[in-house]
Amino acid sequence: MADSGRSARGPESVTRARDIDRAQVSSVLDAAYAEGQLSAHEYHDRVRRAASARTLGDLGGLTADLQSPAVFGAPPAVAPKRLGRRHFDEYPARTRARTADRAATREVLDAARADGQLDASEHRAAVKLADGARTLGELATLVTELQQRPAAPTKPRTRDLSRIATVLAAAVVAVACFVWTVRADEPPPPPVEVAAIDYDAAPPLVLPTPSPATLAGFLKVRDDYLAKFGDTVVAELVLHDTHASVQRISAANPARTDDYTYRGGFVRSPGGYSTRQRDEAPVDLSQVDADALGAVLATVVTDLAVPDGQVSHLRFDADSRTEQPAIMIFVRSEAGHSGHLTITLTGDIVRSSPYTE
């Protein structure tokens, strides 16, 4: 499916879907869930419906109201357009909002309260509505009367890579011809004597950089988190193959989290913070049984029956059903086959969603 965020129309609505089409939609749903466009219930329901979809029309309906997730291409750098004014390259009002969109709207509402555009009760009500907003249209209505508005998200533009490659190749050839012409009459430079290097004289330098989505990577992230913040308590931690994201409960306001991205060190994420339910159980990473987690990771691909699969990411969060701290392990293959497993911090299985043909 060339555009997984576009609803199918016309003949496509009755065209039979392939396994790869279902896999692509499942990938979009995974990323949309990670970005906060879908609740846990909506995510699981849509994944289940995607797995059993028979036509492209069935699949298109599952992603038609979603923004294209960032993992499928970032928007080009353009002048920001304020939320609330529709432009041709912006998403329609019915498009689902991300956690980052809600955070950007809250920042504008906070600024409007600070400069007197909103009184305390208006600000309180608007922030509550922003936290519960499901679409970009709902967020836009909250800022239409304000002097400042957050930049509206724009659709990623598809780049013509073949044309870019052709232009670059032509430029390289032109530069090479110019250099050859200029230096054709110059005498060759004298040979440079290079001293022999004894590569065995010193031991090789090996940097410990395990993938965060492994047991060794988790232990390193946990140790670095403790060194950075002085404790091991998180609202949410997601470990990807090359990086991690963490939400740390704000000391000033337990209803908010300070958001960070980890790539060998913790850096404040764009937007800076998110909201959370005060009674939502935090996760103490020190309570994770590392041996039990390692045992589960060693067999999870086989247990979930994902052909040629590998662990794509781990999520440490309060389980949406039990409301207790849990670890969700996602497994995916290059062909798009996927499954996931939810366990307790001590390694007991809560739920298993294996891949099915």
Side-chain angles (χ1 to χ4, degrees):
M1 300 176 66
D3 184 358
S4 53
R6 174 179 56 85
S7 59
R9 294 185 176 87
E12 288 190 3
S13 63
V14 294
T15 301
R16 288 299 185 102
R18 303 167 298 173
D19 286 341
I20 188 63
D21 300 323
R22 300 184 186 93
Q24 288 176 343
V25 168
S26 179
S27 297
V28 173
L29 295 174
D30 287 348
Y33 175 50
E35 292 182 346
Q37 298 189 58
L38 298 173
S39 66
H41 174 74
E42 292 172 322
Y43 165 71
H44 292 298
D45 177 65
R46 295 195 188 195
V47 167
R48 177 184 57 79
R49 289 161 59 191
S52 60
R54 305 301 300 167
T55 68
L56 296 183
D58 295 336
L59 291 175
L62 299 176
T63 58
D65 62 343
L66 301 178
Q67 298 184 50
S68 298
V71 295
F72 294 99
V78 296
K81 305 175 183 64
R82 297 190 299 177
L83 191 62
R85 294 184 178 180
R86 182 80 171 92
H87 293 265
F88 75 94
D89 59 344
E90 295 176 12
Y91 292 100
R94 66 178 182 278
T95 304
R96 289 299 185 96
R98 302 169 300 177
T99 300
D101 301 324
R102 300 184 191 97
T105 300
R106 287 193 301 271
E107 289 181 355
V108 169
L109 294 172
D110 291 345
R113 173 72 181 102
D115 63 18
Q117 295 185 63
L118 299 174
D119 60 29
S121 61
E122 291 173 329
H123 173 261
R124 218 171 16 248
V127 167
K128 184 176 181 180
L129 291 172
D131 291 342
R134 304 303 301 166
T135 67
L136 294 179
E138 293 174 12
L139 291 177
T141 60
L142 300 175
V143 297
T144 52
E145 296 180 353
L146 302 181
Q147 294 186 31
Q148 302 87 13
R149 302 189 189 103
T154 55
K155 299 178 182 178
R157 295 177 181 175
T158 302
R159 296 180 178 178
D160 188 346
L161 297 182
S162 62
R163 183 175 180 181
I164 293 174
T166 301
V167 173
L168 289 177
V172 170
V173 171
V175 171
C177 291
F178 173 77
V179 172
W180 178 266
T181 302
V182 171
R183 297 196 173 186
D185 298 329
E186 295 181 1
V192 178
E193 295 183 2
V194 179
I197 300 176
D198 184 2
Y199 290 99
D200 296 325
L205 178 61
V206 179
L207 298 178
T209 55
S211 165
T214 63
L215 176 61
F218 162 71
L219 295 175
K220 185 176 190 309
V221 171
R222 184 173 67 177
D223 290 344
D224 289 350
Y225 185 88
L226 176 61
K228 170 73 173 179
F229 300 106
D231 60 53
T232 55
V233 178
V234 301
E236 178 186 88
L237 171 66
V238 182
L239 303 177
H240 298 277
D241 184 44
T242 60
H243 69 284
S245 60
V246 62
Q247 294 183 352
R248 177 174 171 81
I249 301 173
S250 172
N253 184 356
R256 287 189 176 180
T257 64
D258 298 324
D259 301 345
Y260 296 85
T261 299
Y262 175 88
R263 297 181 186 274
F266 292 92
V267 178
R268 198 68 178 267
S269 302
Y273 61 86
S274 303
T275 59
R276 64 182 295 271
Q277 299 295 326
R278 289 176 179 267
D279 57 352
E280 185 175 287
V283 180
D284 188 347
L285 300 179
S286 67
Q287 300 301 311
V288 175
D289 186 327
D291 292 336
L293 176 59
V296 172
L297 290 175
T299 62
V300 67
V301 174
T302 302
D303 294 342
L304 294 178
V306 180
D308 300 319
Q310 61 181 4
V311 175
S312 62
H313 58 286
L314 288 72
R315 181 187 298 275
F316 299 73
D317 195 2
D319 182 65
S320 59
R321 299 185 190 178
T322 66
E323 298 183 351
Q324 296 301 310
I327 307 171
M328 183 176 287
I329 305 173
F330 295 84
V331 174
R332 180 169 297 282
S333 70
E334 291 186 0
H337 303 146
S338 64
H340 58 270
L341 178 70
T342 302
I343 62 174
T344 64
L345 300 187
T346 55
D348 298 324
I349 296 178
V350 178
R351 281 185 306 281
S352 178
S353 299
Y355 168 74
T356 56
E357 296 286 351

